[in-house]
Amino acid sequence: MSEPKPFTVLIQPKVAEAERVVKEAVSKHLALIVVGRCWVHYLGRAKSKLEPGERILMIKEDGSILVHRSVGYEPVNWQPPGCIFHTRSKGDVLEVHAIRQKPAESVQVYFDTVYLVASLDLLDAGEFSLYASEEDMHKAILFKPSILEEGFKPISYEKKVEPGFVDVYGVDKVGKLVVVEVKRKMATKEAALQLAKYIDAIKAKADRKVRGILVAPSMGKDVQKTLETLGLEFKQVDPRKCAEILQRAETKKLSEFFEET
Amino acid sequence: MSEPKPFTVLIQPKVAEAERVVKEAVSKHLALIVVGRCWVHYLGRAKSKLEPGERILMIKEDGSILVHRSVGYEPVNWQPPGCIFHTRSKGDVLEVHAIRQKPAESVQVYFDTVYLVASLDLLDAGEFSLYASEEDMHKAILFKPSILEEGFKPISYEKKVEPGFVDVYGVDKVGKLVVVEVKRKMATKEAALQLAKYIDAIKAKADRKVRGILVAPSMGKDVQKTLETLGLEFKQVDPRKCAEILQRAETKKLSEFFEET
């Protein structure tokens, strides 16, 4: 199934050969992988030093750079796109310096052994799409309640309240109970009536004021009027935004990696 | 300089050959790189789909997985360490599934063309060290004022106040002016006296109450007594912690990537 592909792969090259491939990849804006024994200095917002070890260096078309160790899914060193690269061999050491101007910082990688160097012309126009289910939207509200409104504090979700389940409920910034009904698609009159039923059920038991908020990416025709009649509110929330919040929840954990290093 | 190295590199392998290398790498906990044309499904906290394109797949010794596109220093898909892998070829498609139990999520990568597969036994015991200068410590306090104390709001830093420069100054949660003197090493009596001078200079001009906080990783003998006499406070802050905060400042930007996708 493989087709011929414009790429260069050298196994256990001499430092001078590796230098040539790195320089060519950087000048042609190709993706580049270098596997070898290296040490790394970083100077910028802080200062770091990585002692020698065998690692994977990746440089991308856009001038971003990553140094990956054999464990951990975070790169140990990296720079975002837009780096300027300086490559040279000095004695038997291959030096790859990635420099950013703003903020001024640089990652300097020194290889004394190169096991593999590959320059790759990658064709990639594939779209990345992120979806969220209604349950994902509940979770996103729990993780970042401010997407509903500032000061909202969730108490529970998917809680049984006859005649069904309340999606999310909590209290607002003044302590008033809030019941949230979430729809992945356009909010309908039926959704508004459903929310009103939950609120009536809660009011009957708790005998306190309850706000009802219908959450959806958009609202159907004449639903606004129904909401007003029922004394309910609408909050526009995009499921895609919710998916991003959940993704970031994961990324946040990712960043905690640095607290452990 | 290269030594023989226990690794396997296949260029433009057949899907069945690539499958064998992937399975071996995963079972032996080796690092693995696969370059080829693939599409990716993710199911977990949210749901995502990446359409076909040429990318770099990386699996690490610890069972983490990354899918990198030719641009952007963030992986487009990833899972943290501890994944269980299922690899198979189905027709001419190589499937690599990385499954996590908690939270339940999976990344499914499908290759219809493999350009390069490399399994690597990387030896890496090199230590990673992060340093921070006194200036880095100022920046860390500005970026995350709560490391000084809750409610602290910085106003400026490295501000000229005869007889020198105040490191950081701001207001505390009750609005009182705070002058901060930062030391990278152990706090000394001299540092305490220096801080006292700045405060005297500010008080002479501003005629308002001023708190003085000496920030350092530790405090020298008898410095506590000097501080008490001068009416100053001490706050223990580790320069290493400051470096991590600055690193995270960068990571935070990294996570903003997701808002743009």
Side-chain angles (χ1 to χ4, degrees), chain A residues 5 45 47 49 54-55 60 62 68-69 72-73 78 123-124 126 129 131 136 240 246 248 261, chain B residues 5 45 47 49 54-55 60 62 68-69 72-73 78 123-124 126 129 131 136 240 259 261:
Chain A
K5 188 70 194 154
R45 284 165 192 264
K47 196 173 151 186
K49 204 175 102 179
E54 295 171 355
R55 286 144 202 155
K60 293 194 176 183
D62 58 4
H68 272 283
R69 308 187 78 157
Y73 76 132
W78 74 93
L123 198 74
D124 183 3
S129 327
Y131 306 91
D136 290 334
R240 203 185 138 86
L246 294 176
R248 275 203 296 285
T261 51
Chain B
K5 188 70 197 157
R45 285 165 192 264
K47 196 173 151 187
K49 204 175 101 178
E54 294 170 356
R55 286 140 203 160
K60 293 196 177 184
D62 58 4
H68 272 283
R69 308 186 77 156
Y73 77 132
W78 74 94
L123 198 73
D124 183 2
S129 326
Y131 306 90
D136 290 335
R240 204 185 137 88
E259 289 183 289
T261 50

Side-chain angles (χ1 to χ4, degrees), chain B residues 8-246:
Chain B
T8 308
V9 180
L10 300 182
I11 297 169
Q12 310 219 355
K14 292 214 170 71
V15 161
E17 293 170 334
E19 182 194 0
R20 185 182 53 76
V21 176
V22 173
K23 280 186 170 168
E24 196 187 328
V26 165
S27 72
K28 289 188 178 170
H29 300 286
L30 302 175
L32 177 83
I33 297 169
V34 182
V35 180
R37 187 173 180 276
C38 66
W39 56 99
V40 186
H41 292 173
Y42 163 75
L43 191 62
R45 285 165 192 264
K47 196 173 151 187
S48 77
K49 204 175 101 178
L50 178 63
E51 291 178 353
E54 294 170 356
R55 286 140 203 160
I56 300 164
L57 168 72
M58 199 186 287
I59 294 178
K60 293 196 177 184
E61 287 177 11
D62 58 4
S64 50
I65 180 172
L66 309 161
V67 180
H68 272 283
R69 308 186 77 156
S70 55
V71 293
Y73 77 132
E74 272 284 355
V76 60
N77 284 103
W78 74 94
Q79 299 258 53
C83 288
I84 293 161
F85 294 90
H86 294 294
T87 309
R88 63 170 179 179
S89 55
K90 205 177 168 185
D92 281 326
V93 174
L94 173 67
E95 300 183 8
V96 181
H97 296 195
I99 297 155
R100 276 179 88 194
Q101 303 291 345
K102 232 178 163 183
E105 48 184 0
S106 76
V107 166
Q108 297 159 23
V109 189
Y110 301 83
F111 285 94
D112 65 3
T113 317
V114 176
Y115 299 120
L116 175 72
V117 56
S119 94
L120 306 154
D121 189 5
L122 301 175
L123 198 73
D124 183 2
E127 204 186 321
F128 180 74
S129 326
L130 206 50
Y131 306 90
S133 63
E134 255 166 43
E135 208 196 326
D136 290 335
M137 292 176 73
H138 306 168
K139 284 184 194 161
I141 293 171
L142 296 175
F143 181 73
K144 196 181 175 181
S146 63
I147 60 168
L148 186 72
E149 64 179 28
E150 280 307 325
F152 175 66
K153 287 199 185 75
I155 297 169
S156 185
Y157 77 110
E158 289 164 23
K159 193 180 163 65
K160 195 163 177 59
V161 173
E162 294 302 344
F165 289 86
V166 162
D167 286 343
V168 176
Y169 83 100
V171 291
D172 67 12
K173 62 180 171 193
V174 298
K176 209 179 270 183
L177 208 60
V178 179
V179 175
V180 182
E181 175 67 24
V182 177
K183 291 293 168 197
R184 204 194 169 281
K185 294 185 178 172
M186 192 176 70
T188 58
K189 278 187 194 179
E190 288 67 34
L193 292 167
Q194 190 185 356
L195 176 56
K197 274 187 195 165
Y198 291 138
I199 290 175
D200 287 344
I202 292 165
K203 276 183 179 168
K205 280 192 184 172
D207 192 29
R208 60 187 279 192
K209 281 210 168 183
V210 184
R211 287 174 61 200
I213 305 179
L214 186 56
V215 165
S218 62
M219 194 168 24
K221 250 188 185 175
D222 301 328
V223 177
Q224 182 61 45
K225 219 175 155 185
T226 309
L227 288 171
E228 277 168 20
T229 310
L230 297 166
L232 302 175
E233 301 160 52
F234 175 76
K235 171 71 185 179
Q236 193 265 327
V237 173
D238 185 358
R240 204 185 137 88
K241 178 84 191 161
C242 292
E244 284 163 5
I245 288 165
L246 295 175

Side-chain angles (χ1 to χ4, degrees), chain A residues 1-216:
Chain A
M1 286 300 291
S2 310
E3 296 154 26
K5 188 70 194 154
F7 68 65
T8 308
V9 179
L10 300 182
I11 297 169
Q12 310 219 357
K14 292 213 170 73
V15 161
E17 292 171 333
E19 182 194 359
R20 185 181 53 76
V21 175
V22 173
K23 280 186 170 168
E24 196 187 328
V26 165
S27 72
K28 289 188 177 168
H29 299 286
L30 302 175
L32 177 83
I33 297 169
V34 183
V35 180
R37 188 174 178 275
C38 66
W39 55 99
V40 186
H41 292 174
Y42 162 74
L43 190 63
R45 284 165 192 264
K47 196 173 151 186
S48 77
K49 204 175 102 179
L50 178 63
E51 290 178 355
E54 295 171 355
R55 286 144 202 155
I56 300 164
L57 168 72
M58 199 186 285
I59 294 178
K60 293 194 176 183
E61 287 177 12
D62 58 4
S64 50
I65 180 173
L66 309 161
V67 180
H68 272 283
R69 308 187 78 157
S70 55
V71 294
Y73 76 132
E74 272 283 355
V76 60
N77 284 103
W78 74 93
Q79 300 257 54
C83 288
I84 294 162
F85 293 90
H86 294 294
T87 309
R88 64 170 179 179
S89 54
K90 205 178 168 184
D92 282 327
V93 173
L94 173 67
E95 301 183 8
V96 181
H97 296 195
I99 297 155
R100 277 179 87 196
Q101 302 291 345
K102 232 177 162 182
E105 47 183 0
S106 76
V107 166
Q108 296 158 22
V109 188
Y110 301 83
F111 285 94
D112 65 2
T113 316
V114 177
Y115 299 120
L116 175 72
V117 56
S119 94
L120 307 155
D121 189 6
L122 300 174
L123 198 74
D124 183 3
E127 203 186 323
F128 181 74
S129 327
L130 206 51
Y131 306 91
S133 65
E134 254 165 43
E135 207 195 327
D136 290 334
M137 292 177 74
H138 305 169
K139 284 183 194 161
I141 294 171
L142 296 177
F143 181 74
K144 196 180 176 182
S146 62
I147 60 169
L148 187 72
E149 65 180 27
E150 279 307 325
F152 175 67
K153 286 197 185 76
I155 296 170
S156 186
Y157 76 111
E158 289 165 23
K159 192 180 162 66
K160 194 161 177 63
V161 172
E162 293 302 344
F165 288 87
V166 162
D167 287 343
V168 176
Y169 84 100
V171 290
D172 68 11
K173 63 180 172 192
V174 298
K176 209 179 268 183
L177 210 60
V178 179
V179 174
V180 182
E181 175 68 25
V182 177
K183 292 292 170 197
R184 204 195 169 280
K185 294 185 179 170
M186 193 176 68
T188 58
K189 278 189 196 180
E190 288 67 33
L193 292 168
Q194 190 183 356
L195 177 55
K197 273 187 197 167
Y198 290 138
I199 290 176
D200 287 344
I202 292 165
K203 276 184 181 167
K205 280 192 185 173
D207 192 29
R208 60 187 278 192
K209 281 209 166 184
V210 184
R211 286 173 61 197
I213 305 180
L214 186 56
V215 165

